[in-house]
Amino acid sequence: MPDSLFLQGGDTPAGSLLQPDLQQDLQADVQADRRHSSGRRLGDKLAETALARACVGIVLVDAQGRLLDANGAFCKMVGYEPTELIGTDLNSMIHPADRDGVAYFIESLNSGSIADASAEIRYVRKDGATLWSRTNVSGRARTGDTDGLVLIVENIDRLKRAEERLGALVERLEVATDAAGLGVFEWNVEDDTVISENQRMREILGYESGQDALRLARVIAEIINPDDAAAFQDALRASLEQPGARFHHVCRIRAGGTGDIGGTGRKDDAGGSKWIEMIGQIRRDPVGGPTRLVGVLTDVTVRKQAEKSLLDADSRKNSFLTMLAHELRNPLAPIKAASLLVQMLAPNPESKIHSAGQMIERQSNHLSNLVGQLLEVTRITTGNIELVREIVELSALLRDAVEPMTLLLDSRNQSFTIDTPVSPIWVYADTLRLTQVFTNLIDNASKYTANGGHIEVRLVAHGDNERCEVSVTDNGQGVPPELLPHVFDPFVQGNVSVARTDAGLGIGLSIVRQLVMLHGGSVRVSSPGAGAGSAFVVSLPLSQQSAAAVAPPVTIQSSLADGGRVLIVDDNADAAESLAELLTLAGCQVQTAGNGAEAFQTVRSWKPAVIVLDIGLPDLDGFQITLELRSRPEMQDVLIIALSGYGSAEYVERARVVGIDMYLTKPAPMEILITSIQKKLREVSSLSRH
C-alpha cells in the first residue's frame, strides 16, 4: 500500500544530515512515527483477517462498476475464484432483471445525490444458479489512488426461497379456501376483537367489509340464532378453559346481508336461518392462558338440509314399510287360517284338498317370512331391536333350527348332516334370534344348491375356550369372487335359477350379519369358485356359565274346551270369518264384530271370555276399545289378545299399558293362539263348575 511504503521510506540515514537540535527533534518524530506505523500495520492485519473471515461478502468496485477486490465470503457466494473476479464488470454477475436498479443507485452514489443505498439483488453464480442477496452501499471509499464503492453483500437466498414457498403455500391455501367456501378468521381472546378475516367470512356472517370489525359478543348477540346462542357460548367456554382442546361447533345464524347458501347464490328460505360450522385452534401464552382463536367458518346449510331430507325420507320409508307390512299381513291371516281350515275339513293326508291346504300354508308362511325380513332389516339398521338373552346350549339350538328345515330339504332331495360335539357348548344368546341366524344360513345354502346336493352344519369349540364356530357348508353353485365382499350387503343376491321362485329379497344374509354382531360375534364367507360350493362360518363368544336346567318343552293340545265364548273383532271380513270357522271346528262358540261399536254391543249382550282384537279398526282402534273395556268391572278377567298387522315394539308396549294380555302379529302361529285361548277357557270352565 502507498502509505506503508511512505512510512518505510521515512526511516533512512538521511536524517543524520540535520542539525543536532533538529536531529533530536526529528529522531523523536521518527520514533513516534514508527510506533504509529506499527499500530497501523497491526490494524491492517486485523482488518485483513476480519475481511477474510467475514460471513458477509465485501466487494470494492470503481465508478464504472468494475470489481477491484472481493473477500472470500463473496467469492464463495458467487462461485468464482478471486483472480476471476478482479477487473470484471459487476453487471456480468447481476440478474438481468436487477441490472437497471443497481446501475441507478451506483450512479446516484457516485454523483453524491444519495449517501447510501440498500436493495435486494439477485446475483448469477458461475454455475448459472440465482442467488438472492441484500446489498448495502455506504458512501464512497478510497484505496490508494482509487476511489470506489464498498458493497456489503448479505446472502438471503434461503430466506427468499422460504418466502417464495410460503407465498405459494398461502396462495394455494387462499385458492383452496375460496374453492371450499371457507371463511378464515383470527380472533383476539383478550380484547374480543377480530384480528383478521377474509371476504368469505364476511359473506357467510352477512356484513360488509366497510363495517366495523366484529366482536364475538356482537356475533353472539346479533348474528347467531337466539335459540343456539347459549350452546355456542358453552362450547366456546369449554374449549378456552381446557388446554389442548379445539373448538368445533355447529349452529344456526340469522340469514341476511350478502350471505348465500354454500356459495350457490341462493338465500335460505327455511325460517330465516342458515347453518354454520366453526372449527378453530386456540393459541395460548407460556402459562397456558388463551390468547388467539384461529379458525375457519363454513356455511353448511345445504348439508343440514340434505341431512334433514334424508332423515325425513328414512322416516317416511320406515312408515311406508310398517304400513306395507300391515297391509300384507292382513290378507295373510285369513289365507293361513283358511289353509288350516281346509286341512281340518279334509283330514286325509292323501286327498288333493288336504295337499292344497298344505301348499297354501307353505306359501303363506313363505310370504310371511319375506314380510318379516323386510321389517327386520329396518329394525336392525335403525337400532330398534333388543335381544332377550339367556344361557343357551348351542348344539340343542342348532338341532331345533334344523328341524323345521327338513321338509324344505326333502322337497329338493337335498341330503343334510349336522355334526356337534358330545360336550355341551354354552352361549349367552337370544334363542329366537340365533335360531333365525342358522335358519337363514341353511335356507340360503339350500337355495343355491341344486336338487340332490348336500349341506352340512358343523359346530366346533376353539382350544382357547373363549369362542366357538358354526359352519354351514354346501356343494352348490358357489360365490363369484367379485360378489364375495358384498354377500352380506342388503338386497344383494347371486344368480338364482329362473325356476327357483323362492329366491327372496336378498336381505337374509344382511340380517344374519347384524344379529351375529349384536351377539358379539362375526360371520365370514368363503368359496373356492363357481360350482365349488360355499361355506359360511359364524363365530360366537362362549359363555363361562352353563344353564342350571333346561325347561321342558311346551305341549300344545289339539282341542279347545267345548262351549267357550270367543269374540273376534276385525274389519277384514275374510280374516274374521276364517278364524271363526277354525275356532268353531275346534268346539268354540264364536261371534264376530267389524268395528268398536259392534264389539261393545256384543260384549254387553253376549259376555265373551276371550276377545281376539285387531288394532286398526275404522271407528276406534284396539287400544281405545281395550281402555273402555278394562274400565268395566265385569271385563277385568276377560282375556284380550291383540292380533294385528302392526308389529313394532311401540305397538307392543302400548298394548301392555292399556291392558292387552297378549300381542300377536299377523299371521300369528295358530298353535300359540289356540293354546292361549284353550288355557283361558279351561280356567273359566273350572270356575263355573265350582
Side-chain angles (χ1 to χ4, degrees):
M1 300 287 286
D3 288 344
S4 60
L5 292 174
F6 173 77
L7 291 174
Q8 291 173 3
D11 187 14
T12 64
S16 61
L17 300 176
L18 299 177
Q19 296 297 325
D21 54 340
L22 294 176
Q23 183 177 357
Q24 292 177 355
D25 294 338
L26 182 59
Q27 287 176 347
D29 291 340
V30 168
Q31 291 174 357
D33 190 53
R34 284 177 175 173
R35 290 192 298 269
H36 179 67
S37 176
S38 176
R40 289 190 61 183
R41 284 196 297 272
L42 178 60
D44 290 344
K45 184 63 176 176
L46 291 173
E48 290 175 7
T49 302
L51 291 175
R53 297 185 179 182
C55 295
V56 296
I58 302 176
V59 183
L60 179 65
V61 299
D62 63 13
Q64 287 72 43
R66 290 191 301 272
L67 274 77
L68 300 178
D69 203 356
N71 71 341
F74 181 78
C75 295
K76 186 176 180 180
M77 286 182 195
V78 296
Y80 287 95
E81 295 295 330
T83 56
E84 297 177 289
L85 293 177
I86 305 303
T88 61
D89 189 351
L90 180 65
N91 265 351
S92 65
M93 288 184 293
I94 300 296
H95 192 282
D98 296 342
R99 287 172 184 170
D100 290 344
V102 173
Y104 174 76
F105 78 68
I106 288 179
E107 181 182 347
S108 301
L109 288 165
N110 284 328
S111 66
S113 60
I114 58 175
D116 53 36
S118 178
E120 291 183 354
I121 297 173
R122 284 166 289 181
Y123 289 89
V124 180
R125 289 173 43 87
K126 184 178 181 179
D127 59 9
T130 301
L131 176 81
W132 276 98
S133 76
R134 181 175 298 281
T135 299
N136 300 277
V137 184
S138 300
R140 298 178 61 77
R142 182 178 179 82
T143 302
D145 297 330
T146 304
D147 289 338
L149 299 173
V150 177
L151 281 65
I152 309 298
V153 183
E154 180 185 0
N155 186 347
I156 60 169
D157 193 66
R158 288 186 178 180
L159 177 62
K160 291 298 292 185
R161 302 299 181 195
E163 288 179 354
E164 289 175 357
R165 289 193 296 270
L166 180 60
L169 180 62
V170 170
E171 184 178 358
R172 289 196 297 269
L173 182 61
E174 289 176 349
V175 171
T177 54
D178 288 343
L182 297 176
V184 183
F185 67 91
E186 183 174 359
W187 173 57
N188 188 332
V189 176
E190 297 171 324
D191 61 6
D192 188 19
T193 57
V194 174
I195 299 172
S196 63
E197 59 196 4
N198 67 349
Q199 177 62 27
R200 184 59 186 151
M201 169 84 170
R202 293 186 286 270
E203 291 175 355
I204 292 174
L205 295 182
Y207 71 99
E208 301 294 340
S209 57
Q211 294 179 256
D212 294 338
L214 279 179
R215 292 181 177 272
L216 192 61
R218 179 187 164 199
V219 173
I220 296 173
E222 301 179 9
I223 296 179
I224 293 179
N225 187 295
D227 294 336
D228 296 351
F232 180 89
Q233 287 179 300
D234 291 342
L236 180 61
R237 186 182 303 110
S239 298
L240 294 174
E241 293 175 353
Q242 183 178 354
R246 296 177 63 197
F247 177 69
H248 185 190
H249 192 68
V250 179
C251 65
R252 290 169 295 174
I253 63 171
R254 296 183 175 97
T258 59
D260 59 62
I261 300 175
T264 62
R266 297 184 295 105
K267 299 288 184 178
D268 175 35
D269 56 359
S273 290
K274 297 192 302 183
W275 285 91
I276 62 168
E277 182 174 23
M278 186 181 294
I279 302 174
Q281 184 66 49
I282 298 170
R283 295 177 179 171
R284 299 181 181 273
D285 58 25
V287 296
T291 58
R292 298 283 191 274
L293 174 61
V294 181
V296 294
L297 191 69
T298 315
D299 186 334
V300 293
T301 305
V302 170
R303 189 186 81 191
K304 296 296 290 186
Q305 290 175 341
E307 289 175 358
K308 184 177 185 302
S309 297
L310 287 174
L311 290 173
D312 291 345
D314 188 61
S315 177
R316 289 193 298 271
K317 180 261 296 180
N318 290 336
S319 298
F320 167 76
L321 289 178
T322 301
M323 184 58 65
L324 176 64
H326 175 264
E327 295 302 318
L328 290 175
R329 281 168 170 166
N330 272 334
L332 277 173
I335 292 174
K336 190 168 184 178
S339 69
L340 294 176
L341 185 60
V342 168
Q343 294 176 65
M344 292 178 67
L345 291 173
N348 182 6
E350 303 298 328
S351 70
K352 292 183 178 180
I353 296 177
H354 188 87
S355 298
Q358 289 181 323
M359 180 188 66
I360 296 172
E361 183 181 10
R362 285 196 303 271
Q363 295 305 314
S364 63
N365 287 338
H366 178 61
L367 185 56
S368 178
N369 288 335
L370 292 180
V371 174
Q373 287 186 0
L374 192 62
L375 286 180
E376 191 83 326
V377 73
T378 302
R379 285 195 292 266
I380 292 174
T381 54
T382 55
N384 292 328
I385 188 170
E386 294 184 3
L387 300 180
V388 181
R389 302 174 75 170
E390 58 184 346
I391 304 299
V392 178
E393 206 287 299
L394 193 53
S395 298
L397 185 145
L398 283 173
R399 287 190 291 271
D400 291 342
V402 168
E403 185 176 355
M405 304 297 297
T406 54
L407 289 177
L408 173 67
L409 298 174
D410 290 343
S411 68
R412 296 172 179 171
N413 195 29
Q414 293 170 339
S415 60
F416 179 84
T417 57
I418 180 169
D419 184 4
T420 59
V422 176
S423 300
I425 294 180
W426 303 97
V427 293
Y428 184 54
D430 184 319
T431 302
L432 179 63
R433 297 301 184 182
L434 209 52
T435 300
Q436 183 180 1
V437 165
F438 298 119
T439 301
N440 279 6
L441 288 177
I442 296 169
D443 180 66
N444 184 78
S446 174
K447 190 181 303 178
Y448 292 97
T449 300
N451 289 350
H454 179 71
I455 299 167
E456 180 184 35
V457 175
R458 181 184 297 272
L459 169 62
V460 295
H462 288 302
D464 57 11
N465 203 33
E466 291 184 359
R467 303 187 72 82
C468 65
E469 287 188 347
V470 179
S471 60
V472 179
T473 308
D474 63 72
N475 62 350
Q477 68 183 45
V479 183
E482 65 275 10
L483 188 62
L484 274 174
H486 307 289
V487 293
F488 296 108
D489 296 343
F491 310 110
V492 172
Q493 283 186 305
N495 294 324
V496 182
S497 168
V498 293
R500 189 62 52 82
T501 58
D502 53 355
L505 301 175
I507 56 180
L509 292 179
S510 175
I511 293 172
V512 165
R513 179 177 62 178
Q514 297 294 335
L515 289 176
V516 170
M517 290 174 62
L518 287 174
H519 282 84
S522 62
V523 59
R524 64 184 186 272
V525 60
S526 62
S527 177
S534 58
F536 288 82
V537 180
V538 175
S539 176
L540 293 169
L542 291 174
S543 172
Q544 301 306 313
Q545 298 178 348
S546 60
V550 178
V554 177
T555 58
I556 300 176
Q557 299 187 22
S558 59
S559 63
L560 299 176
D562 293 340
R565 294 185 178 185
V566 180
L567 171 62
I568 301 172
V569 185
D570 199 325
D571 60 329
N572 186 322
D574 287 343
E577 291 176 8
S578 59
L579 181 58
E581 288 290 341
L582 190 62
L583 295 177
T584 300
L585 285 176
C588 288
Q589 300 180 47
V590 184
Q591 289 199 22
T592 62
N595 53 49
E598 292 180 10
F600 291 139
Q601 182 178 356
T602 304
V603 166
R604 284 194 299 268
S605 61
W606 196 55
K607 296 181 175 53
V610 178
I611 299 176
V612 180
L613 179 66
D614 190 17
I615 295 297
L617 295 169
D619 52 356
L620 300 174
D621 62 42
F623 302 128
Q624 294 171 311
I625 293 174
T626 302
L627 281 173
E628 172 61 27
L629 292 176
R630 291 303 191 199
S631 67
R632 305 175 184 179
E634 68 274 14
M635 298 301 297
Q636 297 302 310
D637 294 330
V638 172
L639 175 66
I640 300 180
I641 301 174
L643 185 60
S644 172
Y646 297 109
S648 68
E650 175 189 356
Y651 278 80
V652 175
E653 177 60 20
R654 285 184 62 187
R656 184 190 66 79
V657 171
V658 300
I660 292 176
D661 298 294
M662 179 181 295
Y663 196 101
L664 299 176
T665 304
K666 294 178 180 178
M670 287 296 105
E671 61 273 17
I672 295 178
L673 179 63
I674 290 173
T675 301
S676 302
I677 294 175
Q678 178 185 35
K679 180 180 179 182
K680 180 62 179 177
L681 294 181
R682 285 182 173 171
E683 290 176 358
V684 172
S685 177
S686 175
L687 290 174
S688 64
R689 286 196 299 268
H690 290 81

